[in-house]
Amino acid sequence: MEGKESNKQVIDMSCVRDIVSKFADRDDPNLISVLQQAQDEYGYLPKSVLKEISSVMDIPLTRIFGVVTFYSQFTLTPRGRHSIKVCSGTACHVKGAEGVKQKLRDELQINEGETTPDYQFTLETVACIGTCFLAPVMMVDERYYGKLTADKTSDIVGTYSNKKLGSE
């Protein structure tokens, strides 16, 4: 069985059944673990995947939706291949985080919370990354970059891009 999302992307549901089957032998199948693995597989949680999980695990879709919307780790919209998190904590704010964010907004042509049209990057602002000594700081995926300037930011993001930013 395959599911279709609103953007006409066909989603292979066999992965969902494989993920759920890993937890089938347990007395209490772990919905959160199933959702985490499904999100790892698809990059986000499409509605058709949630419906399949509901059907296979015999859990009401409203309960699954409640879990997905409660925990911020889950997303219902496609995200970029790379996640950029810019710290907006006090130290980063004082040391120029707004300039870093503005450079990223200008070059990626998205605002915080958005994903580039080519699904390369998702830009987020976070309250504090916990590395104030590196201020201003951002994370690309799991890697930290500190003592940023606007130019350094462009170079760093450009290394993750299929094309060099600012060259067009």
Side-chain angles (χ1 to χ4, degrees):
M1 180 177 170
E2 296 179 336
K4 284 188 175 182
E5 291 300 304
S6 60
N7 62 2
K8 307 293 183 204
Q9 178 187 12
V10 176
I11 297 173
D12 178 10
M13 292 297 161
S14 64
C15 295
V16 172
R17 288 185 287 278
D18 290 345
I19 291 168
V20 172
S21 70
K22 294 176 187 173
F23 298 92
D25 295 340
R26 299 178 182 186
D27 291 336
D28 182 25
N30 189 332
L31 176 60
I32 290 177
S33 294
V34 169
L35 292 170
Q36 287 170 329
Q37 289 188 21
Q39 184 165 282
D40 288 345
E41 179 67 30
Y42 297 102
Y44 71 110
L45 294 170
K47 289 179 189 170
S48 58
V49 168
L50 297 180
K51 288 179 182 176
E52 185 72 7
I53 291 171
S54 171
S55 173
V56 173
M57 294 183 74
D58 195 27
I59 296 173
L61 185 58
T62 53
R63 180 172 165 220
I64 293 172
F65 190 74
V67 170
V68 169
T69 56
F70 180 79
Y71 293 104
S72 63
Q73 67 177 297
F74 296 120
T75 179
L76 296 169
T77 56
R79 299 182 52 85
R81 192 169 134 219
H82 302 288
S83 172
I84 300 173
K85 296 175 182 165
V86 181
C87 182
S88 64
T90 302
C92 288
H93 176 76
V94 169
K95 296 263 187 164
E98 185 54 41
V100 169
K101 287 189 287 186
Q102 187 60 51
K103 185 69 172 182
L104 290 168
R105 287 190 292 259
D106 291 345
E107 293 209 15
L108 298 174
Q109 299 180 347
I110 57 174
N111 290 311
E112 289 91 340
E114 295 179 346
T115 299
T116 56
D118 63 359
Y119 293 104
Q120 283 292 307
F121 299 100
T122 297
L123 178 61
E124 300 173 282
T125 298
V126 295
C128 183
I129 292 179
T131 55
C132 301
F133 63 98
L134 293 174
V137 65
M138 71 175 184
M139 290 180 69
V140 180
D141 301 328
E142 300 300 319
R143 187 166 179 185
Y144 292 86
Y145 295 94
K147 301 189 184 296
L148 294 172
T149 63
D151 289 339
K152 280 173 123 178
T153 302
S154 293
D155 291 343
I156 292 165
V157 173
T159 64
Y160 288 87
S161 180
N162 290 338
K163 60 184 179 194
K164 184 73 178 162
L165 294 175
S167 64
E168 296 181 343

